[in-house]
Amino acid sequence: MSHTAKPTALKMGIPIPNSKLGLWLFLGTEIMFFTAFIGSYIVLRLGSRGWPTDTHDTHINVILGGLNTFVLIVSSYLVVVAHEAMAQKNFAKARTYLTGTLLLAFVFLGIKSAEYYGKISNDILPGHIAETSSQAVKKASRELEVVVRDRFAEYTTSGVVPTDRPNDIVNLVNQIATLPSVATPPEGVSEGTFNALKESAPVDAELFRQWMNLHQHIVANVSLKVPAIGPEYLAARAELKEGEKLPELEYAEVTSLLTDMKANEKYGYYVTKGVFEPHPIVYGNIFASTYFLMTGFHAIHVVVGMILFWLVLKQGSKLDEKWTDFVENSGLYWHFVDLVWIFLFPMLYII
């Protein structure tokens, strides 16, 4: 007769499914992930005097941000109801509420896309923002150069101005300026295209001269009231006394010039479309970087949640109790996504 004790039955250490335990561990890493972002933002925000808070500068839309907050809160409620319906084996009801959650997720991303478009259309992007007056002036000049190159490209790509150096706009302007005196179009160019560009040639040549004048004044760093090159510039320098210098180019002069150019009936449309308002935003690039980083990663998490809900809805009428834990875990993930936005909204939109 053996006196060996019977082995004790194994018991679960934590009375929850392995899937839920795994999800909580995963959410722990996600909490650390977003905590690093949020903590870095707080340090940068508090350590940067003059941080952009004017919504006209940052193009932050508080109303849209608040609406998105409401959308996520409602979607979290729908997930709770869907999980309750799964527990009650009311799978049709669960599908209905999960469909509502998925639709609200699309609404959230749609609103976020509208916000992103507002910033992109105003060039509020990392690395694109001028933070000082001099940077704003140089940025406006670069954008105006792009406008000129785009206009000149119409002449070269159409064949109206044949050249083997289409990017050399300094030489192209001479050919374009003399185009009105050309009687017949080059071979292979239609009469309509030739006449249209022939008519716009003086306007585009004048647009080039305006940009080149600004560019020369930026290089010489002299006021627009003073010639930047040529004999007149040399004469003005010769008249200076010892220790004196020519008046420097001012930000207000450039903004006034661009305002006049945008109001020009002939080429104002192209300038308005291609040149952003040259408004310097202190710490603008750090702001844009943190904004797009945090909201972008949050949007990725929203998409992941949508995929999880889609996998459930894909089952259709075959949805059964085997998916109950999956719905619960997906709901926990979605609540986390909602909670992250609850932190991001006041930090980015209100404070």
Side-chain angles (χ1 to χ4, degrees):
M1 181 176 180
S2 175
H3 296 282
T4 305
K6 294 182 179 180
T8 305
L10 295 176
K11 296 182 180 179
M12 181 182 293
I14 301 177
I16 60 175
N18 291 336
S19 60
K20 184 183 290 188
L21 176 61
L23 179 68
W24 277 114
L25 292 174
F26 170 73
L27 291 181
T29 65
E30 289 289 276
I31 290 171
M32 291 187 287
F33 179 77
F34 277 100
T35 298
F37 286 160
I38 294 173
S40 298
Y41 175 82
I42 292 174
V43 171
L44 291 171
R45 172 71 177 82
L46 296 179
S48 304
R49 293 185 178 182
W51 186 270
T53 56
D54 189 344
T55 55
H56 295 291
D57 293 340
T58 60
H59 292 273
I60 286 286
N61 195 316
V62 180
I63 295 178
L64 291 181
L67 181 59
N68 256 350
T69 304
F70 175 76
V71 167
L72 280 186
I73 291 174
V74 174
S75 68
S76 283
Y77 166 76
L78 297 183
V79 170
V80 172
V81 177
H83 175 248
E84 182 182 2
M86 290 292 294
Q88 297 172 353
K89 298 185 179 181
N90 190 343
F91 304 117
K93 180 179 179 181
R95 290 198 305 271
T96 300
Y97 281 92
L98 285 179
T99 300
T101 302
L102 188 61
L103 292 176
L104 288 178
F106 276 112
V107 172
F108 177 89
L109 292 180
I111 294 174
K112 180 55 61 181
S113 298
E115 290 188 78
Y116 277 10
Y117 175 78
K119 289 173 178 56
I120 294 171
S121 61
N122 288 280
D123 210 27
I124 307 298
L125 296 170
H128 288 218
I129 302 173
E131 298 188 359
T132 65
S133 296
S134 61
Q135 289 179 1
V137 169
K138 293 176 182 178
K139 180 174 183 287
S141 176
R142 292 194 300 270
E143 292 168 349
L144 191 56
E145 179 184 358
V146 172
V147 172
V148 173
R149 289 187 179 278
D150 287 343
R151 292 299 307 150
F152 281 17
E154 292 195 20
Y155 296 86
T156 57
T157 56
S158 64
V160 171
V161 176
T163 178
D164 56 352
R165 294 186 297 172
N167 294 323
D168 189 356
I169 59 175
V170 176
N171 288 325
L172 277 177
V173 68
N174 296 323
Q175 295 176 265
I176 293 174
T178 59
L179 191 60
S181 62
V182 179
T184 58
E187 184 179 355
V189 178
S190 67
E191 192 75 26
T193 301
F194 176 74
N195 290 333
L197 292 179
K198 183 177 179 179
E199 183 178 351
S200 64
V203 175
D204 292 325
E206 174 61 23
L207 180 60
F208 168 86
R209 284 189 286 270
Q210 290 282 8
W211 164 71
M212 180 55 70
N213 181 56
L214 174 61
H215 175 69
Q216 291 168 345
H217 279 82
I218 291 175
V219 173
N221 192 25
V222 295
S223 169
L224 293 175
K225 301 174 183 178
V226 180
I229 59 172
E232 294 180 351
Y233 170 71
L234 296 176
R237 286 181 58 87
E239 294 177 1
L240 295 175
K241 298 179 181 179
E242 184 177 354
E244 291 183 340
K245 62 180 181 179
L246 295 174
E248 296 182 353
L249 181 65
E250 296 182 359
Y251 168 74
E253 291 182 287
V254 178
T255 57
S256 178
L257 171 66
L258 291 176
T259 299
D260 293 340
M261 292 182 69
K262 290 180 179 181
N264 188 286
E265 296 181 355
K266 298 178 179 178
Y267 54 71
Y269 168 77
Y270 306 111
V271 179
T272 302
K273 183 179 178 181
V275 181
F276 295 97
E277 186 67 26
H279 179 60
I281 304 175
V282 180
Y283 298 114
N285 290 298
I286 298 179
F287 160 78
S289 297
T290 54
Y291 173 85
F292 281 104
L293 181 69
M294 291 192 290
T295 60
F297 270 107
H298 179 265
I300 292 174
H301 282 70
V302 170
V303 172
V304 172
M306 295 170 67
I307 294 174
L308 295 178
F309 296 137
W310 174 77
L311 290 175
V312 178
L313 294 173
K314 184 182 178 183
Q315 306 306 311
S317 60
K318 296 180 181 179
L319 185 65
D320 55 26
E321 63 274 4
K322 291 185 296 185
W323 286 85
T324 301
D325 287 345
F326 187 91
V327 171
E328 182 181 11
N329 293 333
S330 300
L332 289 173
Y333 175 84
W334 192 251
H335 297 326
F336 167 77
V337 173
D338 190 2
L339 184 62
V340 169
W341 183 256
I342 295 300
F343 280 94
L344 295 183
F345 172 65
M347 287 196 312
L348 296 175
Y349 290 77
I350 298 178
I351 299 176

